[in-house]
Amino acid sequence: EAGVTQSPTHLIKTRGQQATLRCSPISGHTSVYWYQQALGLGLQFLLWYDEGEERNRGNFPPRFSGRQFPNYSSELNVNALELEDSALYLCASSLRTTTDTQYFGPGTRLTVL
Amino acid sequence: GIQVEQSPPDLILQEGANSTLRCNFSDSVNNLQWFHQNPWGQLINLFYIPSGTKQNGRLSATTVATERYSLLYISSSQTTDSGVYFCAVERGGGGADGLTFGKGTHLIIQP
């Protein structure tokens, strides 16, 4: 069974541009989560999508947004990029039944110059 | 929000040694997971263990929910065990809160 996949692996942008990151969950999983791992800040919860809707977000500004498609894949958009947005962005999926185990993808490393 | 503290922050051991990593959390939780982050950044699931004890090969974990801590045991360490180990918790159920991560324990196993 395929795990969570993310694309691209690396992304280089300049300040002020927009970045789009993509995530495909494990087959059958309906929930997708996004996390940011920035140097010195640790792993932080960013967004949660379930059944096509944004259900919750962490302490991030509105320029971090995204969506979930009917096939449950998701994309994360970061507008008006700032230098401090440089980070590893991790996507996770879960089945949300009797256990809430989240399974993570390999991540997208975003560098903002 | 919920606080997660991991100890020790760094641990250097010789191959073959045993180790215990600790995770303290500040509130009751419905989800607790242990991860190993590989050198490329991917988080590898080790255990889903909001309570009780589990074992998987050389690794085992125990969560005492009433006392708000979890322990990860690694026996007969190998160099491939090196990396950062994270504990992550969720207070509510159903994934609503997202996972809150500790700062991790950086484990180095020397040959």
Side-chain angles (χ1 to χ4, degrees):
Chain A
E1 180 183 288
V4 178
T5 60
Q6 292 186 242
S7 63
T9 304
H10 294 90
L11 190 57
I12 300 174
K13 295 285 186 179
T14 56
R15 200 170 55 180
Q17 287 188 314
Q18 178 194 45
T20 298
L21 290 63
R22 296 180 176 83
C23 172
S24 291
I26 291 171
S27 177
H29 287 192
T30 62
S31 273
V32 170
Y33 305 83
W34 288 94
Y35 294 84
Q36 182 198 65
Q37 186 175 27
L39 203 60
L41 294 178
L43 276 148
Q44 298 184 82
F45 167 65
L46 228 171
L47 287 162
W48 170 40
Y49 291 95
D50 184 65
E51 297 287 357
E53 300 285 333
E54 180 182 311
R55 302 295 183 181
N56 199 9
R57 65 186 294 129
N59 189 24
F60 283 84
R63 58 191 187 82
F64 287 84
S65 65
R67 53 182 170 165
Q68 186 177 34
F69 299 98
N71 65 355
Y72 302 113
S73 67
S74 174
E75 68 179 30
L76 173 69
N77 296 296
V78 188
N79 294 317
L81 284 165
E82 300 179 2
L83 297 178
E84 50 265 35
D85 296 333
S86 294
L88 180 67
Y89 289 84
L90 293 164
C91 170
S93 73
S94 78
L95 195 49
R96 294 188 66 237
T97 53
T98 53
T99 71
D100 300 322
T101 307
Q102 294 187 25
Y103 297 90
F104 282 76
T108 292
R109 192 165 295 279
L110 172 64
T111 302
V112 182
L113 303 175
Chain B
I2 193 166
Q3 306 297 314
V4 182
E5 292 184 3
Q6 291 187 243
S7 60
D10 300 282
L11 187 58
I12 302 174
L13 297 171
Q14 295 296 123
E15 203 167 20
N18 301 328
S19 57
T20 301
L21 283 57
R22 187 177 179 100
C23 171
N24 293 332
F25 42 96
S26 61
D27 204 345
S28 58
V29 297
N30 283 297
N31 181 356
L32 189 149
Q33 293 183 241
W34 282 98
F35 298 93
H36 178 206
Q37 188 165 39
N38 68 20
W40 298 273
Q42 184 163 8
L43 290 172
I44 308 300
N45 283 63
L46 297 177
F47 294 102
Y48 169 85
I49 188 165
S51 64
T53 297
K54 290 186 178 179
Q55 179 154 10
N56 184 3
R58 295 182 297 102
L59 273 61
S60 63
T62 295
T63 298
V64 183
T66 53
E67 298 187 22
R68 299 180 185 167
Y69 74 89
S70 183
L71 301 172
L72 177 68
Y73 305 97
I74 305 174
S75 64
S76 304
S77 299
Q78 301 174 359
T79 55
T80 51
D81 295 330
S82 296
V84 184
Y85 289 80
F86 288 102
C87 168
V89 304
E90 181 197 356
R91 187 173 51 193
D97 297 334
L99 289 171
T100 299
F101 284 79
K103 294 186 184 301
T105 291
H106 187 194
L107 177 64
I108 297 173
I109 305 297
Q110 297 178 331

